[in-house]
């Protein structure tokens, strides 16, 4: 149990330390991704719906993620799903990296953002780090949080006024998932995609993009979760479910 502010800061520091990459700060995905452990690359590949990820070695995962994580559509989708506290933290990093820069001026080398007392609240950083928009580095006992060069380039997309239509679509998929988890309790992810796309032919999304939205929702929402192959109402135990019975 956390008894005082000092204990809280120590706990948050340990949490941040678990995700921090040892060594010099890097800013591009091409530099950062090869530094990650394969388990973390697999988590990113799962989030970005990289096909065949379970059979890939580390270099193959890096190559596929470099391509997938820079797609315009990914940034559009993420922009709709970011919460206010996450946008505020991301904007603080972007402001740090761009402050004082004149148009067409070559940027000065960046050192990342040193967080006072080496901690940052998980509510602000957790999801951003899970999806590879923000990374942290540790050197000489100091933790630095940075946003990637790709995020800087995608700033107009991430922080443009999000259309109400996009938010409605996001919530519509969520409402479908809630309805199906209430109805079935557990069902295959592919089963959801087949039903959703057949009943909403004018929705305007590919199966791959729908899968990405579903996986994000399963990480974000409380009513349901997924093990990658099936979606489960959180009051159920997925190990007891038989998706072949649906």
């Amino acid at each position: 149990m956390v008894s005082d502010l000092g204990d809280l800061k120590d706990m948050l520091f340990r949490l941040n330390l678990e995700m921090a990459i040892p060594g010099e700060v890097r800013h591009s995905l091409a530099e950062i991704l090869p530094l990650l452990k394969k388990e973390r690359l697999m988590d990113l590949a799962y989030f970005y719906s990289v096909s065949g990820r379970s059979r890939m070695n580390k270099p193959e995962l890096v190559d596929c993620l470099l391509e997938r994580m820079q797609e315009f559509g990914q940034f559009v989708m993420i922009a709709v799903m970011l919460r206010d506290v996450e946008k505020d933290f991301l904007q603080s990093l972007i402001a740090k990296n761009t402050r004082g820069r004149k148009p067409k001026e070559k940027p000065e080398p960046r050192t990342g953002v040193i967080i006072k007392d080496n901690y940052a609240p998980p509510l602000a950083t957790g999801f951003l780090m899970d999806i590879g928009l923000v990374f942290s580095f540790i050197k000489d006992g100091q933790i630095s949080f940075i946003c990637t060069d790709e995020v800087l380039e995608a700033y107009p997309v991430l922080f443009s006024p999000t259309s109400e239509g996009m938010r409605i679509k996001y919530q519509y998929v969520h409402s479908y998932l809630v309805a199906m988890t209430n109805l079935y309790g557990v069902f295959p992810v592919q089963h959801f995609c087949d039903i959703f796309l057949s009943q909403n032919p004018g929705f305007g999304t590919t199966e791959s993009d729908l899968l990405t939205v579903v996986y994000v929702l399963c990480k974000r929402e409380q009513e349901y979760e997924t093990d990658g192959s099936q979606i489960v109402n959180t009051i159920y135990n997925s190990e007891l479910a038989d998706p072949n019975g649906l």
Side-chain angles (χ1 to χ4, degrees):
M1 181 176 180
V2 178
S3 58
D4 55 36
L5 183 59
D7 289 341
L8 175 61
K9 289 182 178 180
D10 183 61
M11 180 186 70
L12 291 176
F13 171 71
R14 291 197 302 271
L15 288 173
N16 290 332
L17 187 60
E18 290 177 4
M19 296 288 285
I21 303 169
E24 298 287 346
V25 169
R26 301 288 187 267
H27 290 87
S28 71
L29 285 174
E31 295 176 306
I32 295 172
L33 292 180
L35 301 176
L36 303 181
K37 294 180 180 179
K38 186 177 179 181
E39 290 78 9
R40 193 165 174 190
L41 292 172
M42 286 293 290
D43 288 341
L44 287 170
Y46 164 73
F47 177 85
Y48 286 102
S49 301
V50 174
S51 299
R53 57 186 178 272
S54 63
R55 299 184 298 275
M56 293 182 184
N57 58 32
K58 184 174 176 178
E60 290 171 333
L61 284 169
V62 169
D63 288 343
C64 287
L65 284 168
L66 277 173
E67 179 178 353
R68 185 73 167 148
M69 291 174 70
Q70 297 182 70
E71 292 177 1
F72 176 80
Q74 298 294 333
F75 287 113
V76 172
M77 178 198 66
I78 290 169
V80 177
M81 297 182 178
L82 288 181
R83 294 171 180 164
D84 289 343
V85 65
E86 294 158 349
K87 284 191 173 184
D88 290 345
F89 186 80
L90 193 57
Q91 281 191 306
S92 72
L93 296 184
I94 291 173
K96 178 75 173 182
N97 283 329
T98 59
R99 189 179 295 123
R101 187 186 305 174
K102 298 178 181 178
K104 298 183 180 180
E105 181 182 14
K106 185 178 180 179
E108 293 295 322
R110 293 162 296 175
T111 58
V113 177
I114 307 298
I115 303 297
K116 185 179 179 182
D117 296 325
N118 274 342
Y119 75 92
L123 285 177
T125 62
F127 184 67
L128 295 172
M129 297 183 73
D130 285 344
I131 64 176
L133 265 64
V134 169
F135 292 92
S136 61
F137 294 81
I138 183 164
K139 184 180 179 182
D140 299 329
Q142 289 288 314
I143 294 180
S144 302
F145 289 83
I146 63 96
C147 60
T148 65
D149 289 340
E150 290 76 12
V151 170
L152 291 176
E153 294 174 1
Y155 181 90
V157 177
L158 289 169
F159 294 98
S160 62
T162 305
S163 70
E164 186 62 22
M166 289 177 64
R167 288 193 178 276
I168 290 174
K169 281 190 173 183
Y170 170 79
Q171 291 300 321
Y172 188 60
V173 176
H174 170 61
S175 67
Y176 247 78
L177 285 166
V178 170
M180 287 188 65
T181 53
N182 287 338
L183 179 63
Y184 295 118
V186 57
F187 50 91
V189 175
Q190 188 61 52
H191 184 55
F192 172 80
C193 290
D194 292 342
I195 290 177
F196 186 90
L197 291 174
S198 66
Q199 294 183 356
N200 300 276
F203 192 74
T205 190
T206 65
E207 181 175 305
S208 176
D209 287 341
L210 179 60
L211 279 170
T212 300
V213 172
V214 168
Y215 290 142
V216 174
L217 284 167
C218 286
K219 288 185 175 183
R220 305 247 67 182
E221 307 299 339
Q222 302 298 315
E223 295 92 339
Y224 45 80
E225 59 189 4
T226 182
D227 61 3
S229 63
Q230 55 186 342
I231 298 169
V232 185
N233 187 309
T234 51
I235 67 172
Y236 286 80
N237 185 336
S238 62
E239 294 181 356
L240 301 179
D242 179 13
N244 296 321
L246 295 178

